[in-house]
Every structure is written in structure tokens, then in C-alpha cells.
Amino acid sequence: MQQIPVYVFTGFLDSGKTKFIQETLEDPRFNAGERTLLLVFEEGEEEYDFSTYPHKNVYMELPDQQTVSTKELQALAKKCRAQRVICELNGMQLVGDLYTRFPDNWAVAQEVMFADSTTFNAYNANMRNLMVDKLSGAQMVVFNRLPKGTDTMPLHKVARAANRRIDILYEYTDGSSSFDNVEDPLPFDTHAPVITLNDEDYALWYRDVTEEPQKYAGKTVRFRAQVAMLRRERDKMFAPGRFVMTCCVEDIRFCGVPCRYAQSASLSSRSWVEVEATVSAEKHPLYQGDVGPVLTALSVSPAEPAAEEVCTF
């Protein structure tokens, strides 16, 4: 079955999604005649003007993001013989929930978030889970309607806290724009003989090592963690880790890394230990077929609990 690329645009109401998609479809470099299914899951004040497109092979549908099914999406794509799909999502719905209903041959080629800088802080304060949901999966966030000279560091910090690898573009009210070029150094030394993590650094390290396990391959790390037992491998492995909160209490989850340790069966679940281990990049059932970090313990010793049981970014 032929793969259909999907371009996803997220953000809250009146954040600039429609305007950007309209201008993109007006560009003959993007719209060269491909049969395009335009799924509009959120209607704002801006409307699409099909008369300005260089080609007329754009077919708009307005399904309900909360209830649309895989079969419905398949039928819409078949109806217009779509070669690609563009989605304008509803900011009040979770992106990942919709992705689970995408047909198997739909592949997300790009996800971009748009944010109105004049309302961003209010949304972030009051609907943090929805904000993180959009930032964490996007390749780029566009902050628009910025007065020239605005301090962009608060926006930078929120975006990079949710997604360390996200690209950030600032669009100013005078028509100019600029990419964010601030580098975010990690709070630990990845070149040290032993990478020693403070308790508050675990969440950042976990995200970094799972995103780029090859970067840590062959290195040694030391950290304090809680013990999680692996049912199938409890006699030879366990998973030291921490409870991590991304944005709110509802999304707290245990983030552990599989670790080879001959005496793992002697450990107690949820007990605190200090682990020193070497890192390798391997496949493991926890990663569902992907390569991820796997530890080999050099030492495991009892430890006092961390001052904060749950860590954050």
C-alpha cells in the first residue's frame, strides 16, 4: 500500500494555522498539482480561498477530530484519490489521540505548531497539558504577532522544556522573522569519565539518552533511582528510573532504563539505589522494536530516597 504523507498544523484558535496553510497552498513550489486532502478540524475566522491556488486539486473536508474514525479517514482519502493530506487540528484536542486513528499508510511528514505570542502565556498557564501535547511532537513552533524587540527567552524556555529538539521561529509584527539560535547546554557533562547526574537532572538525561542512545554508547553514568522489576527478565535485569512529570499530575509516569545486573532478583521494587553503569544502544522489548539505551551495571548500592520523588524538566 502506497504511503501518503501527512502535514500536520497544530495550535489554538486564531494562532495563524489557516493563514499559513492558505499561503502554502498558493505557492506553486508546494502545490504542483498533487491531489491534496485538506482536513479542517477547527474552523476559525479565517477562511480558505481556493480561487488563489495554482492548481485545483485541493479537496476540503470538515470532520470532527474527537469522533472521526480510521474508516472515515480512509474513505475521505479514497474519495479524492489523495496523494497527500494536510491537517489543521483543533487546539482543544490531543494530537496523539488523533494519530492513533490515522490509517496505516498515513505517515506524518511534518508537524508544525503555531502560537499567538499575545495569548501563549495564558494558554500555557491554564491548559499546560494541551500546550505540552502540541510542543512535544512538533518539529517546529512558530511564535507570531511579536512586537519587535520582545524578549523571546520566556517563549524559548517553555518550548525547549517540552521538546529539546524543536526548532523555533519568531514572526514579528513589522513583517520580519528570525530563527531561535540559542543553544541549551545539558546540566551535566557528557564527556566526563563518569557522567554524574544530580537528582533534578534525571528527566533531562532520560529524554536525551532515549532520543540519542548512540551518543551515550560506551559511556559510564551514575545516578540515584528507584527499582522497577522486569517480569520476563527479573533474574538478570531490572529498570532503574524515576517518576517523571511532563506538565501536570495526570501525566506522571515511570521512566526507567533496562539494566543488566546479575543480582537483580535480590532487589526490592520501588527501593532506592545508586547505580553506576555503562551504556549501550540496543533493541529491547521496552522500546518496541526500536534501538534504545541499555545499561550494564558496574555497581548497585542502597541509597536514601531523593528529596523529590517525582522529577520534572
Side-chain angles (χ1 to χ4, degrees):
M1 188 180 296
Q2 186 175 358
Q3 292 276 299
I4 297 178
V6 184
Y7 300 88
V8 179
F9 299 94
T10 70
F12 295 98
L13 191 66
D14 297 330
S15 60
K17 302 188 297 287
T18 303
K19 182 175 183 290
F20 180 85
I21 296 171
Q22 173 68 29
E23 292 174 351
T24 300
L25 288 171
E26 290 175 355
D27 188 340
R29 293 171 297 178
F30 182 82
N31 188 354
E34 298 90 342
R35 300 182 69 84
T36 302
L37 172 60
L38 174 59
L39 296 177
V40 180
F41 291 103
E42 180 179 68
E43 290 187 88
E45 293 183 4
E46 292 270 351
E47 294 186 358
Y48 288 99
D49 183 359
F50 288 73
S51 68
T52 64
Y53 299 161
H55 298 277
K56 307 308 176 187
N57 290 347
V58 179
Y59 306 89
M60 186 170 73
E61 300 286 349
L62 290 82
D64 185 324
Q65 184 171 329
Q66 195 167 10
T67 61
V68 70
S69 67
T70 303
K71 287 186 176 180
E72 288 178 272
L73 294 173
Q74 288 172 326
L76 293 174
K78 184 178 180 180
K79 177 181 174 183
C80 67
R81 292 179 287 121
Q83 295 172 290
R84 64 182 178 186
V85 178
I86 294 176
C87 297
E88 179 181 352
L89 300 196
N90 186 322
M92 302 306 293
Q93 303 294 327
L94 295 175
V95 178
D97 181 56
L98 177 63
Y99 281 178
T100 63
R101 286 172 274 143
F102 275 3
D104 290 339
N105 66 323
W106 286 24
V108 177
Q110 187 177 35
E111 182 181 325
V112 179
M113 177 183 176
F114 288 83
D116 180 346
S117 65
T118 64
T119 58
F120 179 79
N121 289 330
Y123 277 117
N124 187 52
N126 297 308
M127 290 179 281
R128 177 69 175 157
N129 62 323
L130 290 173
M131 185 68 74
V132 170
D133 170 66
K134 285 143 191 65
L135 287 169
S136 60
Q139 285 81 47
M140 183 169 72
V141 58
V142 180
F143 290 107
N144 51 39
R145 299 166 191 163
L146 276 163
K148 198 68 174 178
T150 299
D151 179 12
T152 58
M153 188 53 69
L155 302 175
H156 167 99
K157 288 181 177 179
V158 172
R160 288 285 170 81
N163 182 346
R164 193 177 63 83
R165 304 174 73 177
I166 197 168
D167 290 326
I168 304 172
L169 177 66
Y170 303 113
E171 291 188 343
Y172 298 96
T173 52
D174 67 356
S176 64
S177 62
S178 64
F179 275 99
D180 185 299
N181 58 6
V182 176
E183 292 188 13
D184 296 301
L186 292 167
F188 45 84
D189 184 1
T190 59
H191 300 292
V194 178
I195 302 170
T196 302
L197 307 178
N198 294 324
D199 290 336
E200 62 270 21
D201 297 337
Y202 182 83
L204 283 172
W205 175 77
Y206 177 83
R207 182 168 63 189
D208 199 51
V209 75
T210 52
E211 287 179 351
E212 300 183 79
Q214 297 290 356
K215 183 172 81 175
Y216 290 87
K219 297 186 177 183
T220 301
V221 64
R222 183 191 298 128
F223 59 94
R224 178 160 48 175
Q226 287 185 276
V227 172
M229 307 306 297
L230 299 174
R231 291 182 182 178
R232 296 182 182 178
E233 304 167 297
R234 64 179 301 122
D235 292 332
K236 58 181 179 178
M237 296 189 81
F238 74 110
R242 297 284 305 277
F243 285 94
V244 175
M245 181 172 68
T246 303
C247 63
C248 53
V249 172
E250 288 77 10
D251 75 355
I252 293 175
R253 64 189 180 96
F254 187 81
C255 295
V257 180
C259 179
R260 297 187 181 92
Y261 180 52
Q263 287 80 46
S264 62
S266 67
L267 300 173
S268 299
S269 181
R270 298 290 296 273
S271 63
W272 286 89
V273 292
E274 182 172 81
V275 177
E276 184 170 322
T278 56
V279 185
S280 57
E282 305 176 28
K283 288 188 175 182
H284 186 274
L286 283 179
Y287 304 126
Q288 301 179 339
D290 292 332
V291 171
V294 175
L295 305 178
T296 300
L298 300 175
S299 67
V300 178
S301 56
E304 291 295 316
E308 300 289 340
E309 182 172 336
V310 177
C311 53
T312 61
F313 293 97

